[in-house]
Amino acid sequence: MHKPLLLNRRELLKLGTGLGVSSLIPLSAVSANTLQTQAHIVILGGGAAGMAMANRLATRLEGGTITLVEPRETHHYQPGWTLVASGVWQPDKTMRPNAQFVPRGVKWVREYAASIDADNKRISLANGATLNYDYLVVATGIQLNYHLIEGMSPTLVGQHGIGSVYASLDGAIRTNQAIQTWLDHGQGKGIFTAAPTPVKCAGAPMKMTFTTLSRLEASGRRDAFDVEYMAPGTSLFSQPWVNEFVKQRFDEQGVTRRHHYRLSAIDPQAKQAEFTFIGPESEFTSHHQLREAEFRRENQPTVIADYDFIHVVPPMSAHDFIKQSALIAQDGPFRGEWLDVDIYTMQHNRYPDVFGIGDVIGAPINKTAASVKAQAPVVEANLLAVMQGNPLPARHTGYTSCPMITGIGKAMLVEFGYEDNFAFMPSFSFIDPTDESWVTWVMKDRMLQPAYYAVLAGQA
Amino acid sequence: MTITGIVTILMFVLAPYIWFIIAGLVIIVALHFSAYLRGYQITRHHSVIALLLAGLVGLTAYVWIPWLTHSKLDYVATVFDWVALTGAAIAAFIVALIVLHPLSYLISDRRIH
Ligand SMILES: Cc1cc2nc3c(=O)[nH]c(=O)nc-3n(C[C@H](O)[C@H](O)[C@H](O)COP(=O)(O)OP(=O)(O)OC[C@H]3O[C@@H](n4cnc5c(N)ncnc54)[C@H](O)[C@@H]3O)c2cc1C
């Protein structure tokens, strides 16, 4: 098979030097900002956030030890999975060896962390070894809780009409196949679900709906297919303008929206999904529209719906070993589920030597690689300040970005932050976040992956 | 964003196409050099065919550039979309002309006589 040429990071930087790039960076600027230290910094997780931190800290710290705990050899560019599941990208485009990104001088421990003893500043690894730290950066991402949907397992993705873009790269490939099988069938009902918890890339379930609608329309038989979107809450997306836009667009494109329905069980053999109604009784959709069976489970009305294709979005949380540690949020909306950090400084609310970054943190929005890009310099600056006993200088605005794919070939560049009810924060004045545009699609298709790798390399 | 940041992103953007770009540059240089050896001068040679063909490449770019990006002309909607696509079409026209102009000289009767 033809393999695209991939240059590793060192080759890239060498190439950059060849083009005279090095002359653009005054050496003094690099060395002047470094901090002499004897400290041991442990970074848990080497995904988008952990790898960005490893590269940033490796440049900023002199002396000391940086240990990166990351079990995987392969780095997955997860934002590409939506394009794989939509049949637009070849899967191998989303993979790179982690070795290309781990900076020199950083000790890479290829193991799973198993527990954190925050009071004694100690990490246990899955192989029984322990690591002591002076400072800890938690960047372990998200746990996909498929097991909270009865009968569901990520191994089912691709079979019995089940798709789930989140499961893995393999899951994205099999989701594409499941959609294609449904399309080839020429008719039937597709149900797209959302999760009752915060999820990474909150736009992904909607992107999957929109790209599938494109495929249904391209088949020339759109009318033969029923499409339903089952949301657990009243809104579909946290940004108010986008929320209204998606609702309206779904209505225009013939997507039946039902609110307050949580996917609670699935019967793959029968191709039936059980939804628990979690909203006000007045908004309970007539069960006849869904299917004949209606019953109550734990006093909540429950309905069964037939499907030919279903896109499953699992509930998500921090990993169990984080939940079992003292670092988990003890109260508030993120209690028991997410890492307890100050959403502006990224410092742990109770353990000042601990910082959190990426999907693992308890924050109202933010579970995107774009947020990691904005968080990484904040964590870097604030961690260095803590190491020097200085006040924290940097604040995260909550910046997050989601190229909302509204069809195969077009998208909207949605960027927003915490302030003013998630007001837009456009990076480019010439791109209106409320416009569907080809350029935004091209950015998603061609530019964002390079930008993501630059974030990993600590360069953006 | 820092200059290094921008350069790093550009490096990652170009990385998959680097051999394609190098091969393209080699072909262009080789064409110009062999035409030059046969008396070609860029300002002196006039080729309506090369101009027309390059124009065709530029015009059709409005269709094949969106297609290359897994999209279609229908989705080119905003002013910036049109500016960007027109820029890309002009670039396609220029590259086509740079290739076709010396090529037309090499295969024209004038060179043979
Ligand atoms: C389908 C999909 C589409 C997306 N689309 C977009 C998009 O368009 N734009 C965007 O900005 N973002 C998007 N994202 C989100 C983006 O990929 C994540 O927000 C980003 O990867 C978060 O980085 P992270 O480092 O927190 O987590 P991850 O990148 O998931 O990395 C976590 C790392 O921790 C490691 N780890 C896990 N457990 C342990 C353990 N016990 N010990 C040690 N290491 C451990 C894992 O191996 C992994 O490498 C998308 C995600 C998905 C799944």
Side-chain angles (χ1 to χ4, degrees), chain A residues 5 409 437-439 441 446 459, chain B residues 5 12 18-19 68-69 71 81:
Chain A
L5 172 90
S437 135
W438 166 69
V439 164
W441 166 265
R446 300 290 154 107
Q459 297 287 346
Chain B
F12 278 113
I18 206 88
W19 290 117
L68 273 183
T69 61
S71 189
D81 281 356

Side-chain angles (χ1 to χ4, degrees), chain A residues 5 7 12 15-16 19 21 24-25 88-89 96 101 373 408-410 430-431 435-439 441-442 445-447 450-451 453-454 459-460, chain B residues 1-13 15-19 65-66 68-72 75-78 80-82 84-85 88:
Chain A
L5 172 90
L7 296 183
L12 267 167
L15 188 65
L19 293 173
V21 176
L24 298 172
I25 323 157
V88 179
W89 271 21
R96 292 224 169 161
F101 299 105
K373 176 183 184 296
I408 294 178
K410 58 182 172 172
F430 48 85
I431 296 183
D435 273 344
E436 284 173 286
S437 135
W438 166 69
V439 164
W441 166 265
V442 175
D445 189 35
R446 300 290 154 107
M447 302 293 288
Y453 288 141
Q459 297 287 346
Chain B
M1 192 184 290
T2 60
I3 293 173
T4 10
I6 293 167
V7 172
T8 312
I9 293 173
L10 283 178
M11 290 299 162
F12 278 113
V13 171
Y17 312 105
I18 206 88
W19 290 117
I65 289 179
L68 273 183
T69 61
H70 306 114
S71 189
K72 49 187 178 182
Y75 294 156
V76 177
T78 66
F80 188 64
D81 281 356
W82 282 107
L85 183 57

Side-chain angles (χ1 to χ4, degrees), chain A residues 315-364:
Chain A
M316 302 186 195
S317 69
H319 285 89
D320 286 341
F321 82 100
I322 307 270
K323 288 199 211 177
Q324 285 144 16
S325 78
L327 298 180
I328 202 73
Q330 316 260 299
D331 45 37
F334 310 113
R335 183 164 58 106
E337 297 290 313
W338 303 98
L339 192 76
D340 188 15
V341 296
D342 179 297
I343 61 169
Y344 297 101
T345 65
M346 314 301 290
Q347 187 182 38
H348 196 276
N349 281 322
R350 287 167 287 115
Y351 293 89
D353 300 331
V354 178
F355 282 80
I357 178 168
D359 293 349
V360 69
I361 67 164

Side-chain angles (χ1 to χ4, degrees), chain A residues 119-296:
Chain A
D119 292 314
N120 294 304
K121 298 188 172 190
R122 191 176 301 136
I123 308 286
S124 312
L125 303 177
N127 63 2
T130 55
L131 282 173
N132 292 314
Y133 63 82
D134 297 305
Y135 301 96
L136 176 68
V137 178
V138 183
T140 44
I142 257 176
Q143 177 171 287
L144 303 172
N145 297 318
Y146 283 103
H147 62 277
L148 296 179
I149 302 165
E150 207 181 299
M152 179 61 196
S153 142
T155 56
L156 286 169
V157 176
Q159 301 170 51
H160 314 291
I162 298 174
S164 183
V165 70
Y166 285 105
S168 58
L169 173 60
D170 198 39
I173 298 167
R174 286 184 276 126
T175 298
N176 176 40
Q177 289 161 355
I179 295 170
Q180 193 55 50
T181 307
W182 178 38
L183 267 165
D184 294 342
H185 190 56
Q187 58 176 21
K189 182 157 108 184
I191 299 179
F192 290 79
T193 67
T197 63
V199 294
K200 53 178 153 188
C201 190
M206 281 156 263
K207 295 181 201 179
M208 284 313 303
T209 316
F210 280 127
T211 57
T212 306
L213 285 168
S214 281
R215 294 168 79 173
L216 296 178
E217 282 158 12
S219 77
R221 292 178 53 92
R222 172 66 187 87
D223 292 344
F225 297 95
D226 286 331
V227 181
E228 298 196 356
Y229 195 90
M230 309 284 277
T234 33
S235 70
L236 303 180
F237 195 77
S238 49
Q239 208 291 332
W241 191 92
V242 178
N243 179 46
E244 285 312 311
F245 171 87
V246 174
K247 281 181 176 176
Q248 195 183 324
R249 180 52 64 84
F250 275 177
D251 296 347
E252 284 163 14
Q253 287 194 265
V255 177
T256 308
R257 272 190 291 122
R258 295 184 209 281
H259 292 275
H260 306 296
Y261 284 91
R262 176 173 60 82
L263 178 63
S264 42
I266 198 158
D267 181 347
Q269 302 296 337
K271 287 195 171 179
Q272 288 180 340
E274 178 199 282
F275 289 89
T276 301
F277 182 75
I278 49 176
E281 202 72 28
S282 58
E283 289 184 30
F284 185 38
T285 310
S286 157
H287 64 271
H288 296 295
Q289 283 182 28
L290 285 163
R291 214 192 159 240
E292 58 271 17
E294 180 192 331
F295 53 95
R296 296 185 90 79

